[in-house]
Amino acid sequence: MNKKLLLPISFVAVCFGFSCEALATTYHVGPGQTYTNISDVPLESLAAGDSVLIHYRAQPYAEKFVIGATGTSANPVVIMGIPSGNLKPVITGENATTRLQLDYWSEGRGVIKVGGTSTPNDNAAYVEIRDLEIRTARTGFSFTDDGGNSASYSSNAAAVFIENGDHITISHCDVHDCGNGIFAAWQSSDVLIEYCYIYDNGIENSIYEHNTYTESQHITYQFNRFGRLRTNCPGNNLKDRSAGTVIRYNWIEGGNRQLDLVESDHDDLINMPEYHETFVYNNVLLEYDGEGNSQILHYGGDNGTTSQYRKGMLYFYHNTIVSTRNGNTTLMRLSTDEEKADVRNNVIYADNGGSSLAMVDDDGYMELRNNWINTGWKVSHSNVSAFVTDVSGNLTGSDPMFVNMGADDYTPAPGSPLINNAGPLAAAVSSYPPLFAFETSVPTYISRSGDLTEIGAYLFEPAVGLPPEMTNKSLLYPNPATMAIMLVPASPGSTVWKLFDVYGQEVREISVNGPARIERGNLPAGMYMLVPVDSRSSSLCIVFVDP
């Protein structure tokens, strides 16, 4: 009979003439495991290489705690969920209890706190929090603190509150129903937030709580999905006051603004050279009708002390921005003339048309290169003399030709003007090239493999099964106003053509002895491609039926 091991699993590092980490311990929590509850684990004693593995159970873990352990790059301290299928273990702040051996302050600020503790010591470093659903820390909910007393959460409580920590990673977590989903204070550094689903946070009728609120010395957001805030919560989606901010490969929908990138009031950050450069690239930013501020992004500051504002360059490239507002949309608010934006290779599309779309609110300097923008776009809705320069390569039109905007698929369709029209990036972003692109399903990604030819956050992908001639981007020409397909042989005599739909399915074969015509009524509405199949035709004719 097999017996289940009821002791922590330890990994012994063997040393030969050089120092090595102490024994690393793995603590298993959950049904049938060594520890029933998270608070049974000696959290105050965690050390480099230790892992707390929280196994899924149907009942949420109503527990809260602090991590003050010091890991290393090679041996981080890991707090990780063990899912059951697609179900992640849930840690809830509602009626949560705290391990009494812990002693830390600001307990009402989060479900999981990193740093800011007396027991253990306040020296969190190389901590990873992974594969958990963390929820419900906000006004109206209570918990039991480290002294065994009942207490209530503050309005700005977070699922994860990083008060003081270096090299902190939050990965593959679902974060919701909190004041701020994730909060990082100014004493945090090298924070990585990735592959998380962050949604349904905020406080009703308050502009001060957001899906995330961060102020770190270097922070990277990547591969996250940001959903809408809680109903009637007017905070921003991603609010950041950091130095060294990189925001890439994120899907961000709704919020007062999708991105609010403003000032710190701490000299430690303001005096860092990285404070004056911010990189935002390969994101999808969605603005919905009737929600929040009409500005997509704010860069600079909001406390009125302009000496603390970012006063630098925002590099904004290969993003896809879609607004479905019935009223006006503004791409950016740049707080002062000392905030600048280098804007390249973006799709900037307002469903309400170019007359409703402006680039800036008022101040600041913006340069536009190789973007696709609605025809008739404005410099500003409030100040036509704002400093926006149409440098080169920008395209305008009424439709960027997404595959299926109604289904949130912003991949360029065959014939889209986004294909093959991106330009070079600024030399300053050479350390931050777009390496990935969105796929049709959100939020999945594919490698760009060095392909930066498409405008926006997506790559054009020819339909599977199309003949080789049809995969050459240079041969795709849009003509959405055409009401019929006209066939004209490229050389005298009988020419045979094959008609394909965009999914690579052959519709019919057509022999042409001269100019011929297929009326629109003979085909369903949609886009089609024609490929010559005999030697007498020397060129490819591609036209479109009105979609």
Side-chain angles (χ1 to χ4, degrees):
M1 178 178 177
N2 292 328
K3 294 184 178 180
K4 191 171 292 185
L5 183 64
L6 297 180
L7 296 172
I9 299 173
S10 297
F11 299 92
V12 180
V14 180
C15 304
F16 297 94
F18 52 87
S19 63
C20 64
E21 301 291 344
L23 299 182
T25 303
T26 299
Y27 300 91
H28 286 274
V29 178
Q33 304 301 321
T34 308
Y35 300 94
T36 302
N37 301 303
I38 302 169
S39 60
D40 297 333
V41 175
L43 299 169
E44 65 281 2
S45 302
L46 295 179
D50 286 354
S51 298
V52 179
L53 303 185
I54 303 167
H55 293 255
Y56 174 81
R57 70 184 190 193
Q59 178 186 6
Y61 293 87
E63 304 187 61
K64 62 192 304 296
F65 52 93
V66 68
I67 302 298
T70 302
T72 66
S73 177
N75 295 279
V77 176
V78 178
I79 311 297
M80 185 169 71
I82 306 299
S84 175
N86 293 325
L87 298 175
K88 296 177 181 177
V90 177
I91 302 179
T92 178
E94 183 177 6
N95 298 320
T97 58
T98 311
R99 179 174 168 83
L100 297 180
Q101 290 86 344
L102 298 172
D103 182 12
Y104 63 103
W105 55 89
S106 299
E107 290 189 60
R109 292 289 304 278
V111 179
I112 300 176
K113 188 166 185 273
V114 179
T117 172
S118 297
T119 306
N121 293 330
D122 186 19
N123 57 353
Y126 291 98
V127 173
E128 299 181 5
I129 301 170
R130 296 180 173 275
D131 294 290
L132 293 165
E133 179 182 340
I134 312 167
R135 62 172 174 82
T136 314
R138 56 182 171 85
T139 303
F141 292 94
S142 59
F143 60 92
T144 301
D145 68 15
D146 59 18
N149 304 305
S150 179
S152 298
Y153 291 102
S154 60
S155 60
N156 64 351
V160 181
F161 172 34
I162 307 170
E163 182 172 359
N164 186 357
D166 176 45
H167 289 93
I168 310 301
T169 296
I170 305 172
S171 180
H172 293 86
C173 289
D174 294 351
V175 172
H176 63 107
D177 197 33
C178 297
N180 297 291
I182 298 172
F183 192 107
W186 71 274
Q187 290 175 300
S188 63
S189 61
D190 294 294
V191 173
L192 174 62
I193 300 172
E194 63 175 3
Y195 298 104
C196 292
Y197 182 23
I198 305 167
Y199 67 103
D200 202 32
N201 299 290
I203 298 295
E204 291 88 344
N205 305 312
S206 173
I207 63 173
Y208 298 108
E209 290 80 30
H210 318 278
N211 261 339
T212 62
Y213 194 154
T214 50
E215 186 173 12
S216 304
Q217 301 172 50
H218 301 118
I219 187 167
T220 297
Y221 286 91
Q222 61 183 17
F223 304 110
N224 300 291
R225 180 181 179 186
F226 285 81
R228 288 166 155 144
L229 278 71
R230 295 177 59 239
T231 302
N232 297 322
C233 293
N236 296 296
N237 211 321
L238 188 164
K239 189 176 184 79
D240 179 72
R241 300 182 183 274
S242 303
T245 301
V246 178
I247 300 170
R248 59 192 179 191
Y249 318 124
N250 301 283
W251 176 281
I252 306 177
E253 57 183 85
N256 183 48
R257 294 185 182 93
Q258 283 68 26
L259 298 172
D260 198 34
L261 313 177
V262 288
E263 83 293 336
S264 173
D265 58 2
H266 295 280
D267 288 343
D268 301 64
L269 276 72
I270 294 172
N271 293 333
M272 294 175 65
E274 298 94 324
Y275 185 66
H276 306 292
E277 285 190 327
T278 300
F279 301 88
V280 177
Y281 61 96
N282 222 134
N283 303 281
V284 175
L285 308 175
L286 302 179
E287 173 75 9
Y288 297 120
D289 185 41
E291 291 192 11
N293 197 303
S294 63
Q295 301 160 5
I296 305 295
L297 183 152
H298 178 201
Y299 175 71
D302 61 9
N303 68 3
T305 305
T306 57
S307 61
Q308 297 175 339
Y309 285 13
R310 295 210 178 201
K311 296 177 181 287
M313 181 67 76
L314 168 65
Y315 294 99
F316 189 81
Y317 48 104
H318 280 287
N319 300 287
T320 293
I321 302 98
V322 176
S323 171
T324 57
R325 295 182 73 93
N326 284 327
N328 290 337
T329 298
T330 298
L331 177 61
M332 292 184 191
R333 177 188 173 194
L334 302 172
S335 295
T336 73
D337 286 346
E338 294 183 85
E339 274 78 39
K340 301 175 176 62
D342 184 300
V343 178
R344 305 189 190 208
N345 298 338
N346 304 283
V347 184
I348 308 167
Y349 175 66
D351 194 46
N352 200 34
S355 62
S356 69
L357 177 63
M359 293 299 103
V360 296
D361 179 54
D362 192 356
D363 298 312
Y365 289 81
M366 177 186 289
E367 292 187 349
L368 299 168
R369 292 177 174 86
N370 298 100
N371 303 282
W372 186 98
I373 315 173
N374 293 76
T375 299
W377 63 270
K378 298 179 179 180
V379 169
S380 172
H381 292 304
S382 59
N383 180 5
V384 295
S385 62
F387 300 103
V388 174
T389 305
D390 185 341
V391 178
S392 64
N394 294 296
L395 304 176
T396 58
S398 61
D399 183 1
M401 296 182 64
F402 300 128
V403 165
N404 191 340
M405 179 173 160
D408 285 334
D409 183 355
Y410 304 106
T411 306
S416 168
L418 309 180
I419 299 169
N420 248 13
N421 279 316
L425 297 175
V429 309
S430 59
S431 296
Y432 301 95
L435 300 178
F436 298 90
F438 281 83
E439 279 196 297
T440 54
S441 56
V442 177
T444 57
Y445 311 86
I446 58 174
S447 172
R448 280 189 176 268
S449 301
D451 188 348
L452 298 178
T453 59
E454 265 73 83
I455 295 174
Y458 290 77
L459 287 178
F460 169 69
E461 297 181 87
V464 175
L466 292 180
E469 301 94 324
M470 298 169 66
T471 63
N472 186 337
K473 299 173 187 178
S474 66
L475 298 177
L476 304 180
Y477 299 97
N479 186 11
T482 301
M483 298 301 292
I485 292 180
M486 176 72 75
L487 302 179
V488 179
S491 58
S494 176
T495 304
V496 180
W497 301 78
K498 284 188 176 181
L499 180 66
F500 293 84
D501 64 19
V502 293
Y503 300 102
Q505 301 298 313
E506 183 177 337
V507 177
R508 69 183 66 169
E509 185 173 287
I510 308 154
S511 294
V512 180
N513 291 311
R517 184 180 185 91
I518 299 177
E519 296 297 335
R520 183 169 186 251
N522 295 333
L523 293 169
M527 292 183 292
Y528 297 86
M529 297 182 181
L530 291 154
V531 177
V533 295
D534 72 357
S535 60
R536 284 167 291 188
S537 179
S538 60
S539 66
L540 177 63
C541 174
I542 301 177
V543 293
F544 292 82
V545 172
D546 185 28

